[in-house]
Amino acid sequence: MPVELDQLAGIEGGEEGRRLASFWMKQIERIKDDTKHKRWLKRAASIEKRYRDERNRVDEEGQRRCNVLWTNVEILTPALYGKCPLPVAQRKFHDKDPVGRGAAQILERALRNEIEICGFDEALQQAVRDYLLAGQGTVWVRYEPEVEEGVSISQGGGMDIEDSQGDIEDPEDELESEANPDPSDPSFDTPEETKLINTGDRITRESTPVDYVHWEDFFVIPNNARIWKEVTAVGRRVYMTHDRMKARFGKVIAKAVPLRKDNRTVYRYEGADQDPDDKAEVFEIWSLVDKSVVWIASGYDHLCDRKDDPLNLESFFPCPRPLFSNATNGTLVPVPDYLEYQDQAIQIDELTQRISMLAKACKVAGVYNAAAKDIQRLLDESVENQLIPVDDWAAFSEKGGVEGNISLLPLKEIIGVI
């Protein structure tokens, strides 16, 4: 099935398509270079590392920690999102309207069925965890219809007006042709609804998958927007394999877009010793200014595709306002919760380490008189309910007995410090 792209997509898009791709790529680069954004990304990455307690074996043996971050996240997660919600559709004013009541029941059942299979619950769980760790949780909704050719011939009537000399022109033919254009005509271009009626195609299934968007892959444009109402465009980054690129944007664009290695820093073009895991960095941007959606890719100077308001949503954006932690009215860059109590968390780690060292020192240890060789057997594990003979008891007694021949480590002071 051929891929239908916008006239501005690819090299055929010309200078206008290239300039549009360059404009949006500059917006993405501006966000990446923003000082506040980079600082937040660095902080969020370190917080995730702290949550996962990613230490090497040497550090684990030499350090003792109390992971308060993990404790708080595990407590707050079920408090913020305990279970998948149940959709409710009802008449606003509860009027006695049987038709409205029936329509509300149909909508509610459809919503409950869709929410079970669209990935809503899993995406929300992941978004809440991002909110508690990195300070931003985002989900993205897609619309996926399945269209197939109808099994019945589309309804029609009338008869052919002709005689032995051929067709007879009907005065209403011209008006009818304008109302129902010929699909085979190259200039034929009608909305999707008209195409379905003319060709007999039908929508067999509709779904709205909910995608989780990682906090590193979501972009707000402009980068200096202070509140959500100042946002004019949102975007997300998707890593696509060569086959996915070819299925979505066609063979020509898929071949021209460079792929990146797993470390996402090295470009690799088709045929240049590619690995099956190599992916292209693609950005999907929804612009509220002109209500259009563009797809651009790193390393490619032209548009991958463009569409005019494909969903006709009331708020246009396919995603709700993300979950921002500790948001202020001066910037949309979030502040992760952990940063607000990190000093106390570090202090708890220091005390945990100190207690561990004191606990190691809190043990029975000391020195004894080398002349009284048998006294060391007193603390031997094999000695239990036994008497140990002592040579020259008189000399041993003169030196103070056991107390005079052994001196133990003072544990009272150590216990007091603990």
Side-chain angles (χ1 to χ4, degrees), residues 218-236:
F218 182 76
F219 301 93
V220 172
I221 302 172
N223 63 307
N224 58 354
R226 297 170 297 181
I227 57 177
W228 185 249
K229 286 187 177 181
E230 294 181 357
V231 175
T232 58
V234 297
R236 66 168 176 169

Side-chain angles (χ1 to χ4, degrees), residues 50-111:
R50 179 68 183 88
Y51 174 81
R52 296 169 62 88
D53 196 13
E54 295 180 353
R55 292 177 290 169
N56 54 40
R57 188 62 179 172
V58 176
D59 292 337
E60 288 179 354
E61 292 178 354
Q63 297 178 1
R64 291 296 179 267
R65 288 179 173 179
C66 178
N67 200 336
V68 179
L69 172 63
W70 176 85
T71 304
N72 289 343
V73 170
E74 294 305 309
I75 292 174
L76 290 174
T77 297
L80 293 176
Y81 184 80
K83 62 179 181 179
C84 185
L86 289 177
V88 176
Q90 60 185 12
R91 294 157 295 168
K92 185 174 182 180
F93 300 106
H94 303 283
D95 297 332
K96 294 183 179 180
D97 180 13
V99 177
R101 180 174 176 272
Q105 289 181 342
I106 294 174
L107 286 173
E108 183 173 315
R109 293 180 181 182
L111 289 172

